[in-house]
Amino acid sequence: MVDSEEPSKLLCLIRHGQGKHNPRDNPLALEYIVSMLRSDAPLTRKGKRQARALRDQMSKRPFEIIVVSPLSRTIQTATEIFGQSDVPKCLCHLMCERSMMPSDTGTPSSELISKHPHVSSWSGLCHLPEEYWPKVSGKKAAEKDVAERVEHFKTWLLARPETCMALVGHSAFFRTMTGQPKLGNCEAFWCELRANGDLVPCSPLPEMPASGDESDS
């Protein structure tokens, strides 16, 4: 049981940009169906643009760590948003998406560095199982797995020393975690994780003052 006097965590949940497996607005654009049947779906060009569009506003928030699902689309999203930032990055397989299609399976951990060389400097890589993603299953079993991982993930977050974190993850995982509607691609959702495990929506933190700015007071 977590001590109720322990400080809460301020979280910014960011869903990945458009992946090659995501349905398109154009009903005739059906190429995404093929990508749903391939493992570890990456971002589209549009998905990378969506992520870069967040870079400026997110660079002004006082994040102490960026926690990232190890799937390619979340690694790419975190890299486009935070790649130029010195804030530490950490891979956490508890954040993997609900696994109902091959596109929700990942790249084996022994191959991640060859696919994404820069993650060699991220923490958490050495703790990933070789196959860190859940087995593909039906909806009921997949949702049960996500619900269990969400509880483990909240415990993991509360045990960390940081108090302000960005989480780059997936729609079904975040929907289960927050009880809120599905996030759009690269949509951000701010919330407070309290010491008892409750998660409460909140307003974004104000931007940090630019270097050299002086307070009026």
Side-chain angles (χ1 to χ4, degrees):
M1 183 98 178
V2 179
D3 186 343
S4 61
E5 295 185 358
E6 288 186 9
S8 60
K9 308 292 184 179
L10 187 62
L11 309 176
C12 179
L13 282 52
I14 304 170
R15 185 189 173 197
H16 62 78
Q18 184 190 72
K20 288 190 175 182
H21 67 304
N22 287 144
R24 309 294 189 264
D25 293 333
N26 181 355
L28 299 179
L30 300 177
E31 65 271 16
Y32 76 91
I33 295 175
V34 176
S35 294
M36 291 178 70
L37 302 176
R38 296 175 178 168
S39 65
D40 206 11
L43 294 183
T44 62
R45 288 193 294 271
K46 178 179 179 179
K48 292 181 180 180
R49 291 196 301 271
Q50 290 172 328
R52 287 194 293 271
L54 285 180
R55 184 182 296 167
D56 183 61
Q57 62 169 288
M58 291 298 166
S59 69
K60 298 173 182 176
R61 310 296 183 184
F63 297 122
E64 298 164 73
I65 194 168
I66 315 300
V67 184
V68 186
S69 159
L71 298 185
S72 283
R73 55 190 180 269
T74 36
I75 289 175
Q76 290 175 312
T77 300
T79 300
E80 293 291 347
I81 300 173
F82 300 106
Q84 298 176 356
S85 169
D86 293 332
V87 177
K89 287 84 175 173
C90 176
L91 294 171
C92 180
H93 70 282
L94 292 172
M95 292 178 68
C96 282
E97 180 60 307
R98 178 184 66 185
S99 190
M100 294 177 59
M101 296 294 294
S103 55
D104 296 323
T105 63
T107 297
S109 60
S110 61
E111 301 172 20
L112 269 181
I113 290 180
S114 61
K115 193 170 187 178
H116 306 288
H118 58 287
V119 303
S120 61
S121 65
W122 296 12
S123 65
L125 179 62
C126 63
H127 300 299
L128 292 180
E130 179 69 358
E131 295 187 1
Y132 48 80
W133 56 91
K135 292 182 178 179
V136 175
S137 61
K139 183 176 181 181
K140 185 175 181 180
E143 290 183 345
K144 180 175 183 291
D145 168 74
V146 170
E148 291 173 350
R149 284 192 286 115
V150 162
E151 292 307 309
H152 289 305
F153 183 56
K154 290 194 291 186
T155 299
W156 183 84
L157 290 173
L158 288 168
R160 294 196 62 87
E162 301 89 359
T163 57
C164 183
M165 309 180 224
L167 315 179
V168 183
H170 307 272
S171 61
F173 185 88
F174 284 155
R175 187 172 67 244
T176 302
M177 183 175 176
T178 64
Q180 299 292 318
K182 176 179 177 179
L183 295 176
N185 291 125
C186 277
E187 182 178 355
F189 176 82
W190 287 81
C191 55
E192 177 190 356
L193 176 61
R194 295 178 175 169
N196 64 359
D198 289 345
L199 197 145
V200 182
C202 66
S203 300
L205 277 182
E207 296 180 358
M208 294 186 295
S211 178
D213 285 359
E214 295 183 0
S215 172
D216 293 332
S217 58

